[in-house]
Amino acid sequence: MQHVQTAMNRLTELAASEPVATLAAAFRDAGAELALVGGPVRDAFLGRPVTDLDFTTNARPDRILEIIAPIADTHWDIGREFGTIGARIHGEQVEITTYRADSYDGVSRKPVVEFGDSIEGDLNRRDFTVNALALSLPELELVDPTGGFDDLLEGTLRTPIEPEVSFGDDPLRMLRAVRFTSQLGFHLDLASFDAIVALGGRLADISAERIRDELTKLLLTDKPRAGLELFVETGLAELVLPELPALQLETDAAHQHKDVYEHSIKVLENAIALETERRPEHAPDLELRLGALLHDIGKPRTRAFAPGGAVTFHGHDWVGAKMTRKRLTGLRFDNDTVKHVARLVELHMRLYNYAEAGWTDSAVRRFTRDAGAQLEQLLLLIRADITTRNRRKSDRLQFAIDDLEARIAELREREEIDAIRPDLDGEEIMRILEIGPSRAVGEARAFLLELRLDEGPLGPETAKARLREWWDARERA
């Protein structure tokens, strides 16, 4: 029970901090109840960083505003209709919400806000028992009407009420269950699992934006495997991201020891490990993680059997890129994310295509040009994609990537390859050829760009001569 005492010590220190102590004193003096609730209490017991400070109270929103106005640096009431008031107190952002007793209208599945009168009733309406813990202030008494503390000790995700009722009231809670298995490292109790299997179709009542946000939170956890596996096992993935469970049906000829589904999750894990190792100061890279998970989704559509039983997936990269764009657009990801993830999927095989012919300077320039600003992401994805257990093959592929990175660095020292442009711009082309704006200018520029990619910087005089040669040949044709 040592960790329990440690958790209470952490909560006591938090309650004594200037923002929380000021807030607690203000509500006490106003004769109102106040409790720290949900995630902060849960995370204190789990030894996780306590970030968001959420409070609950019996005071109604107007009364909350009256209480915090004298002590807040600033406050806002954007969530007022749902009973939530936000404030910044001594530099700390907090949210205070009136006890809730939600009911649902049965049509839109949106909650009808009903304020409650007791903290026990408020906690019973929350998603999982481990999130239904509260610390009353300033008394520092743990409030646990649903058995959340025991579930914390056992690592169990369980709903405070019957899971069929809880998930029926808010179907998004099913995806939250998936996410929490990865975020907290907990297991879902059997009754909740069965309820999700039975009620999965109710996700159709949830907006694509809310589903996207939960999927994003899952992928940004340190260890998303457990959540993704539950996502597939419950059938929710079939409704949200059907391309993922479809990978279970295929055998990857390049990774015969595992199917493409297992390979894709392993690539995601590899990508996360590479992120941590190579870019520890960066926030988790959602685009890279989506690219890792989805990089092979074109394989089921491109599988073909060659003589002798060999399996091929020709074109799975560009087919997968097209599928990626469609799926992420449907999930309402922003345009840049859709574009960048699809590009990673499209280019993830480029190393193998070039490596067979050898890395000429021209090939390195073209690879760099095609990857653009995503070059670092693409190289990480290509490394993550190496999951073979054949040590010799793995070493050979890793060496190929090392060699490519060295070649890129070498060319960077000799020339500008990160933003390759023709040696002459449009104005110069028109002046040299004595022509006005036209399609021919674009063709000339494309010719010079190809020269730049094949031969490197030419210099203005050589570029002029080659341009005139091309123009004369074009005129004679």
Side-chain angles (χ1 to χ4, degrees):
M1 297 297 287
Q2 180 62 40
H3 67 288
V4 176
Q5 185 58 52
T6 300
M8 290 305 298
N9 290 341
R10 292 182 69 195
L11 289 170
T12 299
E13 291 175 5
L14 180 61
S17 66
E18 192 172 21
V20 178
T22 300
L23 190 65
F27 275 79
R28 179 199 60 205
D29 294 345
E33 298 174 6
L34 185 72
L36 185 67
V37 68
V41 182
R42 177 199 70 209
D43 290 341
F45 281 99
L46 294 177
R48 296 163 54 88
V50 174
T51 53
D52 299 334
L53 293 182
D54 297 324
F55 299 86
T56 188
T57 178
N58 62 343
R60 298 301 195 253
D62 289 345
R63 182 59 175 148
I64 295 175
L65 283 170
E66 292 175 1
I67 295 172
I68 67 170
I71 62 172
D73 306 326
T74 185
H75 59 78
W76 52 94
D77 59 358
I78 192 170
R80 186 171 184 165
E81 63 177 309
F82 299 106
T84 299
I85 302 297
R88 186 174 296 109
I89 300 175
H90 295 299
E92 189 77 45
Q93 185 168 314
V94 302
E95 286 191 351
I96 308 106
T97 302
T98 304
Y99 295 156
R100 296 269 293 275
D102 288 347
S103 61
Y104 289 74
D105 60 18
V107 179
S108 69
R109 310 312 307 166
K110 293 182 179 180
V112 177
V113 177
E114 294 181 359
F115 297 136
D117 296 318
S118 72
I119 190 171
E120 290 78 12
D122 178 89
L123 295 176
N124 269 291
R125 57 160 289 279
R126 294 178 179 263
D127 54 2
F128 300 101
T129 59
V130 296
N131 294 330
L133 293 167
L135 184 74
S136 65
L137 300 169
E139 300 86 1
L140 298 182
E141 293 179 0
L142 187 65
V143 184
D144 178 22
T146 69
F149 178 73
D150 290 337
D151 288 338
L152 271 179
L153 295 180
E154 295 174 5
T156 299
L157 275 180
R158 182 173 58 84
T159 56
I161 58 178
E162 293 81 357
E164 295 81 5
V165 176
S166 180
F167 297 147
D169 282 347
D170 184 0
L172 189 68
R173 288 172 175 169
M174 295 185 285
L175 286 179
R176 286 171 62 83
V178 166
R179 190 239 303 178
F180 280 131
T181 58
S182 281
Q183 182 177 321
L184 303 178
F186 285 10
H187 65 272
L188 188 65
D189 81 312
L190 182 58
S192 296
F193 179 93
D194 291 341
I196 292 176
V197 172
L199 297 174
R202 292 290 302 280
L203 281 182
D205 299 329
I206 301 299
S207 71
E209 290 82 0
R210 295 181 73 201
I211 291 173
R212 172 204 64 205
D213 290 346
E214 278 301 323
L215 180 60
T216 295
K217 291 175 183 177
L218 169 60
L219 290 177
L220 293 181
T221 60
D222 293 336
K223 298 179 179 180
R225 173 183 284 273
L228 289 170
E229 290 178 343
L230 184 62
F231 188 40
V232 171
E233 290 167 6
T234 56
L236 294 180
E238 190 67 45
L239 303 167
V240 174
L241 193 64
E243 296 81 2
L244 181 60
L247 295 176
Q248 291 179 302
L249 305 178
E250 309 302 325
T251 300
D252 185 343
H255 308 275
Q256 294 182 4
H257 58 280
K258 57 175 73 73
D259 61 21
V260 185
Y261 166 74
E262 168 60 28
H263 166 71
S264 297
I265 294 181
K266 180 59 179 174
V267 172
L268 173 60
E269 292 178 320
N270 288 349
I272 293 172
L274 286 168
E275 273 189 81
T276 303
E277 173 190 342
R278 297 188 171 217
R279 302 192 296 182
E281 73 285 357
H282 284 221
D285 188 337
L286 177 62
E287 292 177 355
L288 175 62
R289 296 183 185 202
L290 281 167
L293 184 65
L294 303 178
H295 75 287
D296 275 347
I297 62 171
K299 283 190 170 179
R301 293 190 183 181
T302 58
R303 182 178 63 162
F305 296 96
V311 182
T312 64
F313 303 98
H314 297 308
H316 79 272
D317 40 7
W318 64 265
V319 171
K322 184 177 179 180
M323 294 169 65
T324 295
R325 280 191 290 271
K326 182 177 180 180
R327 178 58 57 197
L328 296 186
T329 298
L331 287 171
R332 303 293 190 271
F333 280 90
D334 64 89
N335 291 337
D336 283 345
T337 299
V338 174
K339 176 183 175 182
H340 295 163
V341 176
R343 191 66 170 157
L344 289 175
V345 173
E346 181 182 354
L347 296 177
H348 81 274
M349 292 295 293
R350 192 64 61 89
L351 171 77
Y352 303 95
N353 298 338
Y354 278 140
E356 292 176 0
W359 284 104
T360 63
D361 285 354
S362 175
V364 174
R365 293 188 193 100
R366 291 176 187 277
F367 180 89
T368 305
R369 187 272 310 269
D370 291 346
Q374 294 180 261
L375 178 61
E376 184 180 9
Q377 285 178 319
L378 181 59
L379 290 170
L380 287 177
L381 175 56
I382 292 172
R383 282 191 187 276
D385 196 22
I386 301 172
T387 63
T388 177
R389 293 177 181 173
N390 184 318
R391 183 62 179 271
R392 181 175 298 179
K393 183 177 181 180
S394 176
D395 289 346
R396 176 170 56 82
L397 292 172
Q398 294 286 2
F399 176 79
I401 302 173
D402 291 341
D403 182 55
L404 172 58
E405 289 186 332
R407 294 294 305 283
I408 292 172
E410 177 186 335
L411 273 181
R412 276 177 174 156
E413 289 185 5
R414 289 171 19 204
E415 59 187 80
E416 179 61 52
I417 66 168
D418 292 306
I420 294 178
R421 296 181 178 85
D423 288 83
L424 303 173
D425 62 26
E427 293 291 335
E428 292 170 313
I429 290 171
M430 288 189 287
R431 185 177 67 254
I432 294 167
L433 300 182
E434 298 180 344
I435 59 176
S438 64
R439 180 176 180 180
V441 178
E443 293 174 356
R445 192 177 187 281
F447 165 74
L448 290 172
L449 179 59
E450 288 300 310
L451 280 182
R452 172 72 174 80
L453 289 167
D454 286 338
E455 302 178 23
L458 301 174
E461 294 306 317
T462 301
K464 289 177 185 178
R466 299 287 291 274
L467 176 63
R468 289 193 178 103
E469 290 175 7
W470 171 83
W471 182 253
D472 291 343
R474 182 179 182 276
E475 290 294 288
R476 292 193 300 269

